[in-house]
Amino acid sequence: MDMVRLAVVGATGMVGRAFLRVLAERDLPMKQLYLFASSRSAGQRIDFQGQEYTIEELREDSFDRGVDIALFSAGGETSMQYAPIAAAKGCVVVDNSSAWRMHADVPLVVPEVNPEDILKHNGIIANPNCSTIQAVVALWPLHRRYRIKRIIYATYQAVAGAGMGGWRDLEEGLQGKPPKKFPHPIAGNCLPQIDVFLDNGYTKEEEKMIQETQKIMHAPDMKVTATCVRVPVFIGHSEAINVEFEEPYDMRDVIDILENAPGVRLRNDHANAVYPMPVEAADTDEVYVGRLRRDSTVESGLHLWVVADNVRKGAATNAVQIAQLLCKK
Ligand code: A2P
């Protein structure tokens, strides 16, 4: 593809706005830009690179005019309904919702890990869950060298991951107002529930991390478990990750691998209190890794602390990177 006609679906949302910021920075070869949201926002104007665009209501005929790539972040129901309509019109959808991620014929892509999977798309490519993206960017180069046997995730996830509503709950909660988006106050609190509960006692967010890690790394038998927690941080997910490798590892080699891993920044200087933090990761595209230490309770165990901007690398940046790969194809 040379010059593309691009659409953003959910352009008024937390991730939709980040799509526009990242697109402006990355100079995708674009000849047309269409912005869609719900009827509530139709007619609203948004500035992009000095030009004003009008938000249109998303409708069944929205893709009739010829759209090459559409970045979707308007919730699962919207993606479920409209992504196939867009794909049937010849558009390639990069979908940020969880609606299509586990479908067998939908690639789930993190460009630093499995860019080759993009080629297998049938009109829809799924952008993984924010917590999964940052984890696999850090773990993939280690898996290639030492083969991961088991992963235990514990996440500390920012409210931006719950969209504008999550952001407002923390902002207003800090002023003593009751929550609207979350089931409990988030200010001064931690919520060990992200998304709905499943019959097995896990939440859907935890299940997403487990299944998506296995799919992206093409490792269906890898043992993965997770506990996902919402914390009162505006932007930037943190993750305590415990990994057990098949093979013995050398800590200097692990450091060397992570220092050279695409998309990774090592922040691992204990003596100087240098470690990854959400305030440092916010507004950047990198995945920060630190607090590296051997877990000697198992044969070949490693602890990592992994932080990234969940709205950028966890959503918008990853989707735009996929769009850039599509353009190069
Ligand atoms: P709108 O602003 O018109 O409601 P967030 O996750 O930050 O809350 O953003 C959700 C995004 O998805 C918004 O841009 C929202 O538009 C959009 N959206 C929600 N429902 C629909 C729908 N049925 N059709 C199109 N866009 C939708």
Side-chain angles (χ1 to χ4, degrees), residues 9-15 37-41 58 73-75 78 162-165:
V9 176
T12 52
M14 180 75 68
V15 173
S38 78
S39 56
R40 294 179 290 273
S41 311
L58 181 68
S73 192
T78 305
M164 295 290 197

Side-chain angles (χ1 to χ4, degrees), residues 149-166:
K149 194 197 279 189
R150 181 179 188 225
I151 302 172
I152 305 171
Y153 291 128
T155 71
Y156 306 68
Q157 298 185 217
V159 294
M164 295 290 197

Side-chain angles (χ1 to χ4, degrees), residues 23 102 170 202 207 262 303:
L23 282 168
M102 295 313 296
L170 178 53
Y202 279 75
E207 186 190 66
H303 285 290

Side-chain angles (χ1 to χ4, degrees), residues 121-138:
H121 78 79
N122 293 307
I124 304 175
I125 298 169
N127 208 38
N129 167 271
C130 43
S131 308
T132 313
I133 291 177
Q134 67 184 68
V136 298
V137 167

Side-chain angles (χ1 to χ4, degrees), residues 13-87:
M14 180 75 68
V15 173
R17 286 171 189 274
F19 280 149
L20 295 175
R21 285 198 299 277
V22 178
L23 282 168
E25 291 163 12
R26 294 202 167 216
D27 260 344
L28 209 83
M30 215 182 333
K31 63 179 174 202
Q32 282 286 348
L33 176 65
Y34 303 108
L35 304 182
F36 297 107
S38 78
S39 56
R40 294 179 290 273
S41 311
Q44 203 176 301
R45 288 169 186 279
I46 285 191
D47 182 83
F48 178 75
Q49 292 189 308
Q51 210 178 315
E52 252 198 7
Y53 290 82
T54 304
I55 303 279
E56 297 175 57
E57 179 187 357
L58 181 68
R59 300 188 339 195
E60 299 221 335
D61 62 1
S62 293
F63 302 93
D64 289 358
R65 67 192 88 175
V67 177
D68 301 304
I69 300 175
L71 307 178
F72 271 59
S73 192
E77 277 176 34
T78 305
S79 294
M80 199 48 106
Q81 184 181 350
Y82 290 94
I85 295 173

